[in-house]
Amino acid sequence: MSDATPVHIGAVDLGASSGRVMVGTIADGRLSLTEIRRFSNSVVPVPTSDGERLFWDVLHLWNEVRQGLLTAVRSVGPLSAIGIDTWAVDYGLVNASGALSTQVHAYRSARTRGVPEQVFARIPAQEVYAINGLQVQDFNTLFQLIAQDRDDGLPRESDGTDAHTLLLLPDLLACFLTGKRIAEVTNASTTGLVDACRRTWSLPLLERLRTEIGLDLDGLLPDIIEPGTVIGTVRPEAADIFGPDGRPTPVIAVGSHDTASAVVSVPATDSDFAYVSCGTWSLVGLELDEPVLTEASRAANFTNELGVDHTVRYLKNIMGLWVLNEAVRTWHDQGMEIALPEADAAAAAAEPLRTVVDINDASFYSPGDMAARIDEAAHATGQPCPRDIGEYIRCINDSLALAYRRAVRQAVELSGREVKVLHIVGGGIRNRLLCQLAADATGLPVLAGPAEGTALGNVVIAARGAGVIDGDLSDLRRLIRSSSRLTRYTPDLDTSSNWDDVERRLFG
């Protein structure tokens, strides 16, 4: 196939608040994206005797994905490959016929509170981290499975239940399309069940969970595969989706954890970079060749999530623009009209660092009135409360930038990696104030872009897996760099002492 012949790749990119089906077109050495279908996604709260539980409407997502891919073929043309990425940790259980046997819980559900402490009372946290290298968060798949086993039970063939398979969300959608059951490694690594060095399910950890916790996952976990592997082709009974040769389109395992695909899109020219994948969450970290499994790394709550081409995403989860989005939603619910351009301008004009909070505090995790929670945090730390919407937004941006500063510096210290530039990818690059504050807080030049990093990373791995392009990560990044508009932010080094002061004020 010549460079001038356009190649179309379907990219399914699902987030916690919306989903999209995109088509990436590669032609003349450049990559462009076309949005085919955008749809809403949200948790569905259900009252239970154990309290409110949150679920995903997976059948809605499947229908939207299917319709989006069919529309892509009709409007753009045959698809040479399809890649799927979503958020991490959440899973479905499918029976022998491939149908869901239970509702799919959402990670923000309260059912896992206290579960990590129960696990670590029996299996020391240091021993678990030495295997999986994972940041402890209540919603890790391991803790969700323990909660499900406690509340509803897990299907086991030994109990006379039909065979079931646990599939993380992108793998579940791929199963609906192809009938194949796999676990793509970048997402599997967020479960807490994977050996971060071997990139396989940890049999010793699974045995300890069975004997010491009572969690028996025998028969539930599918084979792990690496990004770039062909999962299978789209079944005719799923959808009439075909490639240029008229045959069913192959579905390729990409970096199915959306952050893994986003990191592929980082338009770096050397290895001495840090990154922020900036969206609902902010994932802040480094790309390494090996995991960091030291006790200091565990104490700092850094995670070693596995990346594309046998890399490691050494990072920390920061609360992200979720806090800002929730604040705006609450103001709307309260009847306040928020014009975001004016609010952002007011935030930019507000007094810097007047009120700064620990944005990663658990109080900002659940849906609710973020402004009220900022007030509570300000009172608790002896700071003035914001006085208007502009000051609240400034507080959120300042607090995020401080969290980026701390995460980058910790990652550098713990890994020994030198960093000369901070790349920000994802929708958050549209927040110009945050990008500049990130440069000021870290003291690093910031290169912002691409905004559609996750979709671009998805497309290039799917295209390479289908054999329509080749090259290593540096080659794929060169293609993305040549196809993207980047914005550079230079740090204001005169503000460095101000960031030092506010960090001491909050964290000592």
Side-chain angles (χ1 to χ4, degrees), residues 36-187:
I36 301 299
R37 190 178 185 93
R38 179 181 288 269
F39 45 92
S40 64
N41 183 31
S42 61
V43 296
V44 180
V46 176
T48 75
S49 59
D50 297 319
E52 184 178 79
R53 293 292 183 260
L54 305 176
F55 299 92
W56 299 111
D57 188 350
V58 170
L59 298 183
H60 159 71
L61 296 177
W62 160 240
N63 184 59
E64 292 288 351
V65 166
R66 182 178 175 276
Q67 293 300 323
L69 291 171
L70 288 169
T71 301
V73 172
R74 289 194 300 266
S75 61
V76 177
L79 300 178
S80 295
I82 296 169
I84 305 171
D85 69 77
T86 77
W87 64 96
V89 304
D90 289 337
Y91 61 90
L93 295 172
V94 296
N95 61 23
S97 66
L100 276 172
S101 59
T102 61
Q103 297 286 349
V104 175
H105 284 267
Y107 64 86
R108 291 191 189 275
S109 188
R111 65 178 179 151
T112 56
R113 288 179 185 166
V115 173
E117 292 77 9
Q118 297 168 20
V119 172
F120 298 142
R122 300 183 183 183
I123 308 176
Q126 298 92 325
E127 297 177 22
V128 176
Y129 190 84
I131 295 171
N132 66 23
L134 208 61
Q135 179 179 3
V136 176
Q137 299 182 102
D138 283 0
F139 52 71
N140 291 348
T141 313
L142 164 59
F143 306 133
Q144 291 199 51
L145 286 166
I146 292 171
Q148 180 160 349
D149 198 32
R150 176 199 66 206
D151 297 342
D152 308 311
L154 288 169
R156 295 185 178 90
E157 291 185 72
S158 59
D159 297 333
T161 307
D162 289 339
H164 281 69
T165 307
L166 182 152
L167 296 176
L168 295 163
L169 281 182
D171 305 328
L172 178 63
L173 294 171
C175 179
F176 288 166
L177 282 171
T178 68
K180 306 297 184 181
R181 305 177 187 207
I182 54 86
E184 187 279 315
V185 73
T186 69
N187 223 345

Side-chain angles (χ1 to χ4, degrees), residues 268-331:
T269 55
D270 293 298
S271 62
D272 53 359
F273 68 91
Y275 60 81
V276 180
S277 177
C278 187
T280 301
W281 288 91
S282 287
L283 295 307
V284 185
L286 312 175
E287 183 176 77
L288 303 178
D289 296 325
E290 301 289 342
V292 180
L293 302 175
T294 62
E295 175 57 19
S297 180
R298 185 196 70 81
N301 213 19
F302 266 76
T303 202
N304 294 267
E305 295 177 358
L306 302 182
V308 171
D309 287 3
H310 292 269
T311 57
V312 173
R313 290 173 287 122
Y314 186 58
L315 59 86
K316 179 167 281 192
N317 285 273
I318 305 297
M319 201 65 74
L321 293 173
W322 155 259
V323 180
L324 178 57
N325 295 339
E326 267 299 285
V328 172
R329 183 192 63 78
T330 302
W331 289 327

